[in-house]
Amino acid sequence: MPTLDELLATARVVSLPMKVKFRGVLRREVMLFNGPAGWTEFSPFTEYDDGEAASWLRAAVEAGWQGFPEPVRTSVPVNATVPAVAPEDVPAVLARYDGPKTVKIKVAERGQSLEDDVARVEAVSAAAPASALRVDANGGWDVPTAVEALTQLAEYGLEYAEQPVPDIDGLRQVRLELRRRGIGTLIAADESVRKESDPLLVAREEAADLIVVKVQPLGGVRRALDIVAQAGLPAVVSSALDSSVGISAGVALAAALPELPYACGLATVSLMDADVTSRPLVPAGGELPVRTVEVDEDLLERYAAPAERQQWWTERLERTYRTLAEVAAAR
C-alpha cells in the first residue's frame, strides 16, 4: 500500500467530455496516479460515498503498484453500447464502433416508457441485424414491469437482460417467471454483485444466470477473479465509464479469466469525446487488444479539471484513503 503522499505526488484530475449523455453526465471526471507498475485510475462516480469508493481506490493501488496477472488471451471481444437515445439516433451511435458483433442497449431510463425501450431495441435490431443484442436496465424496473418488458422484447432474441430490477429477490422472481412463461432470456446480475456486502449471494440464491464484474467497484483484478471463481457462473467484464487507463484494467481482467463466453462491456471509450492517451483503447473488429496504456502529458493538461474540482477530488482521496486503511486494519 503506497502512502497517501505517494498517491498525491502523481495525482492528476481530468474532466473528459462525452459524445452523448451517459449516466446523466456529459463530462466524466477521473483521478489518475502514476505508480511503479504504470498509470492507474481512481474514478468512483461522484455520488458514491467514501465506503463504496474505498474499493475503487484498492483497485487503483493494485493496478499501479502491483500490476496485473498474466493474460491467457491477447485480445477480448467487446460489445457496442447504445445509451437511452431516441430510435432515430441509434445508427449514429453504432457508427462510432468498428464492426461490433454484440450490442448492449440501455433501457428503463428515468422519464422514459417501455414503448421507448422497445422502439430503441427495434431500431438497434434493424441497424445491426447480425449482432447479438442484450439490454441493461441498471435496476430501473420493478418485477411486474421487468417481466412485461422482457416478454415484449423476447422476439428480438436477447442474449441476456442485465440487472432488470434492483435487488436479488426481485432478480430471482423475474428469472423464475420468465422460465414459467417459456422465455429463455438469461438474467445477468451487475449491481447485485458489486454493491452487495456479499457479492456471492446472487449465485447462492440462484437469482442470475451470469454475473457482470467490474474491476474498480470490486476492488481490483485479483479480487474480481476470485469472486468469479467462487460464484461458479459465467462472467461478463464491464467498465464503469473509465478512461483508457481504467479500461486497460478491465481488459486485464477479461484476459485473465479462464473462460470468456460473452463479449465484454469495455468499449465505452467510444462514447467519450476525449481521452488521456493518444492511443485510446477502442475496438477494431469487435475486439480490444491486451496492452498497457501510455498517458499523454499534453492531454492531461488540456483536459485538467478546474481547480475547485481538483481540490474536491484531493479531499475525496484523503477521506477514502483513511477509510481503506481502516478496513485493512480491521482484517
Side-chain angles (χ1 to χ4, degrees):
M1 184 75 178
T3 66
L4 179 58
D5 286 342
E6 286 178 289
L7 291 173
L8 289 170
T10 64
R12 306 290 290 271
V13 181
V14 294
S15 177
L16 302 173
M18 304 289 299
K19 292 176 181 175
V20 293
K21 184 178 286 188
F22 198 85
R23 283 186 57 98
V25 301
L26 284 170
R27 300 193 73 90
R28 178 69 166 117
E29 291 182 348
V30 305
M31 176 176 263
L32 303 170
F33 313 112
N34 191 5
W39 283 93
T40 182
E41 178 171 330
F42 170 61
S43 56
F45 294 108
T46 54
E47 68 269 22
Y48 289 0
D49 63 25
D50 298 340
E52 191 165 355
S55 291
W56 299 60
L57 183 56
R58 176 179 170 177
V61 168
E62 178 200 50
W65 275 259
Q66 188 176 359
F68 301 125
E70 284 297 313
V72 297
R73 53 186 64 85
T74 58
S75 66
V76 298
V78 293
N79 64 256
T81 299
V82 174
V85 298
E88 59 268 24
D89 295 330
V90 164
V93 173
L94 290 175
R96 300 184 183 121
Y97 297 90
D98 178 27
K101 299 178 178 64
T102 305
V103 182
K104 179 168 78 171
I105 307 149
K106 291 291 183 177
V107 293
E109 183 82 354
R110 184 172 298 176
Q112 295 186 6
S113 67
L114 176 55
E115 288 72 22
D116 295 322
D117 294 333
V118 174
R120 187 178 310 112
V121 173
E122 183 179 20
V124 173
S125 179
S131 297
L133 305 184
R134 55 181 70 158
V135 295
D136 181 7
N138 288 118
W141 289 323
D142 57 25
V143 170
T145 305
V147 170
E148 176 59 26
L150 296 177
T151 298
Q152 289 192 36
L153 293 172
E155 66 176 284
Y156 298 100
L158 298 182
E159 199 173 43
Y160 62 76
E162 185 173 326
Q163 200 69 43
V165 294
D167 56 80
I168 291 176
D169 183 62
L171 287 179
R172 188 195 311 105
Q173 291 182 53
V174 172
R175 183 170 179 259
L176 291 176
E177 179 59 21
L178 290 179
R179 297 299 175 273
R180 191 188 69 79
R181 295 185 179 198
I183 295 171
T185 303
L186 302 180
I187 299 300
D190 179 6
E191 285 87 347
S192 290
V193 175
R194 61 187 171 87
K195 289 196 172 186
E196 288 286 334
S197 58
D198 180 0
L200 298 174
L201 184 60
V202 69
R204 289 200 299 272
E205 294 294 321
E206 298 183 345
D209 301 286
L210 59 147
I211 58 174
V212 178
V213 290
K214 299 178 180 179
V215 171
Q216 289 198 76
L218 290 178
V221 170
R222 288 168 180 81
R223 184 163 186 264
L225 285 171
D226 184 54
I227 288 170
V228 172
Q230 291 186 60
L233 293 174
V236 176
V237 181
S238 190
S239 79
L241 203 58
D242 318 65
S243 75
S244 283
V245 172
I247 292 295
S248 69
V251 171
L253 169 58
L257 283 170
E259 298 179 1
L260 195 65
Y262 297 98
C264 297
L266 295 170
T268 48
V269 170
S270 298
L271 299 174
M272 307 179 85
D273 210 22
D275 203 352
V276 295
T277 175
S278 57
R279 294 181 61 215
L281 267 178
V282 293
E287 301 263 336
L288 277 178
V290 179
R291 64 172 174 84
T292 58
V293 171
E294 298 298 328
V295 168
D296 189 314
E297 180 66 30
D298 290 340
L299 293 173
L300 290 179
E301 294 182 5
R302 183 184 309 172
Y303 296 108
E308 65 273 14
R309 296 304 300 164
Q310 295 193 40
Q311 181 62 30
W312 186 91
W313 277 93
T314 297
E315 293 172 358
R316 185 188 209 185
L317 172 63
E318 292 169 347
R319 296 194 312 270
T320 306
Y321 187 91
R322 289 194 295 270
T323 300
L324 183 59
E326 291 168 1
V327 171
R331 287 178 174 171

